[in-house]
Amino acid sequence: MSALTKVPDLEAGEARWGDFIAAVRPRLTPATRFTERELLGPKTTMRVGGPARVYAEPAGTDDLRELLVEASRRQLPVLMLGRGSNLLVPDEGVDGLVISLGHDHWQKFEPLADGRIRVGAGLRLKNLCGLAIKAGLKGFEFLEGIPGNVGGALRMNAGAMGGWMFDVVEEVEMISRSGEVRVMARADMHATYRHCKELDEAIALGAWLKPAASAQSDDIRRQIDVYQKKRVESQPREPSAGCIFKNPPGNSAGRLIDESGLKGARVGDAEVSAVHANFIVNRGHATSADIIALVKKVRARVKAAKGVDLEPEVLLYGAEWKDVL
Ligand code: EPU
């Protein structure tokens, strides 16, 4: 396609966003943050990536619904942003509406009379653990070191230390892309390793969690300290997106990469961590392109050395890994 034929496409794309913004902005409450070309890199733990065409932090369910319904009506892509810990944002950014549940409205932590806890999708897992300690509620210790929020952890069924998010979930409140809110019981949901089918499309608004038991705060704290020590010893400190590949069934991606001699391998400032080989760390000014190139290199080497195809665990924001690998 020549440059000349591309221009009208770009203009048409811009006009669609302009129309969307003009239609939706007057319907949002002033408490909702709504911006254009917001840089996403600083909102991710990897600290790379370009801007979101449109960015919103809705202040409540009604504003979220307005955004979803209007975008869906115009067939504009919508992407949720959690804590930004498990994704890679392309250098050119994303031509979509990026929604973050960062507003206070979504940070709820409410112990209920029936023993359960009601949490909002925007609540950080670290805060969830801290509040559970204070309330003397056990069972959430494994979540402490995961740099995510409740919504992202539900969507990815995040896990660590032998537990995963859906171990502690009883019900999830979610909204569809067309704006219908529903509550679904854990038993009706399909949560597997790093995936929850129902949240591929729907967006979690919050959940009801079940503590394992009541306990002394000191005992809970001690268990968290054990996990923290393990994590500090076995995982890198530099910016990363957590483990970059899924563990293949019955195997460890970290061990396979390590045994393929890849620790320290680099493309630009992206580096296979010397501490844990399943982490790609940003040594300063890595770009998304550097990280993607390193992912390719690691996959090729592990395939050649071990005969195993590694599948990325980290989401490639606004794109599909299969299109870049
Ligand atoms: N190993 C190596 N070399 C390495 C890294 C690991 O030989 O460079 C070996 C370890 O010695 C161990 C085995 O591989 O025998 C497994 O390693 P580890 O215990 O660190 O667990 P993992 O399977 O690599 C998983 C999750 C982590 C989670 C940890 C701790 C995945 C892909 N990773 O790592 O989750 O924090 O267990 O519970 O499931 C994430 O999902 O982003 C993540 C970091």
Side-chain angles (χ1 to χ4, degrees):
M1 194 187 280
S2 79
L4 276 176
T5 55
K6 256 185 151 171
V7 173
D9 283 356
L10 269 177
E11 279 174 3
E14 273 308 290
R16 286 168 78 212
W17 285 114
D19 292 348
F20 167 75
I21 292 164
V24 83
R25 199 198 292 271
R27 303 211 297 270
L28 300 173
T29 60
T32 286
R33 198 165 127 69
F34 187 68
T35 60
E36 291 186 60
R37 302 197 173 82
E38 176 106 4
L39 261 190
L40 296 176
K43 299 184 193 299
T44 72
T45 55
M46 190 63 120
R47 311 201 79 72
V48 307
R53 178 62 188 83
V54 180
Y55 174 81
E57 290 180 7
T61 306
D62 289 345
D63 280 8
L64 173 60
R65 184 184 292 107
E66 292 286 358
L67 290 160
L68 292 174
V69 170
E70 196 57 43
S72 146
R73 202 167 72 74
R74 295 167 184 271
Q75 296 181 318
L76 291 167
V78 177
L79 295 94
M80 293 305 293
L81 179 70
R83 167 72 182 87
S85 57
N86 200 56
L87 50 89
L88 182 59
V89 178
D91 296 319
E92 62 275 22
V94 289
D95 190 38
L97 164 65
V98 169
I99 299 179
S100 156
L101 302 184
H103 189 276
D104 278 354
H105 174 83
W106 310 100
Q107 317 299 320
K108 183 187 290 218
F109 175 95
E110 188 188 351
L112 304 174
D114 62 8
R116 302 187 303 166
I117 312 174
R118 173 90 170 96
V119 290
L123 181 67
R124 290 196 176 187
L125 299 176
K126 199 175 184 56
N127 295 348
L128 163 55
C129 288
L131 291 162
I133 293 176
K134 276 198 197 137
L137 298 169
K138 205 170 147 57
F140 307 106
E141 300 76 62
F142 68 98
L143 294 171
E144 201 271 347
I146 301 178
N149 64 13
V150 166
L154 290 166
R155 157 89 167 77
M156 291 302 298
N157 193 13
M161 310 297 162
W164 64 29
M165 186 66 189
F166 272 85
D167 291 344
V168 295
V169 168
E170 284 225 322
E171 287 179 305
V172 177
E173 184 182 28
M174 58 188 90
I175 187 166
S176 71
R177 302 279 165 152
S178 50
E180 291 103 35
V181 173
R182 66 179 294 197
V183 173
M184 224 185 201
R186 160 75 181 96
D188 298 326
M189 299 184 72
H190 300 83
T192 51
Y193 174 65
R194 299 294 188 269
H195 187 236
C196 170
K197 185 164 162 270
E198 286 68 27
L199 298 175
D200 279 343
E201 279 301 312
I203 294 155
L205 301 177
W208 287 265
L209 308 181
K210 182 95 184 128
S214 296
Q216 293 297 320
S217 294
D218 286 355
D219 292 342
I220 308 174
R221 185 72 250 169
R222 254 193 299 281
Q223 183 60 63
I224 286 183
D225 288 346
V226 170
Y227 289 157
Q228 257 172 2
K229 187 162 178 290
K230 184 173 174 219
R231 186 181 296 272
V232 167
E233 283 166 3
S234 66
Q235 297 187 358
R237 302 285 90 204
E238 297 96 333
S240 78
C243 285
I244 196 97
F245 296 103
K246 290 181 183 174
N247 281 339
N251 214 328
S252 157
R255 189 186 304 120
L256 290 167
I257 301 167
D258 190 352
E259 289 174 0
S260 304
L262 282 156
K263 275 188 169 171
R266 264 181 107 133
V267 174
D269 266 355
E271 182 179 283
V272 174
S273 166
V275 179
H276 192 303
N278 197 13
F279 284 68
I280 289 182
V281 294
N282 180 354
R283 296 299 301 258
H285 298 96
T287 62
S288 223
D290 293 338
I291 294 159
I292 292 169
L294 189 53
V295 163
K296 281 190 193 176
K297 184 168 170 175
V298 169
R299 287 186 88 230
R301 183 88 70 87
V302 170
K303 177 74 177 171
K306 300 282 179 181
V308 177
D309 284 310
L310 290 179
E311 190 191 330
E313 185 210 298
V314 165
L315 304 176
L316 183 60
Y317 215 44
E320 299 272 349
W321 279 108
K322 67 174 171 45
D323 296 334
V324 299
L325 292 181

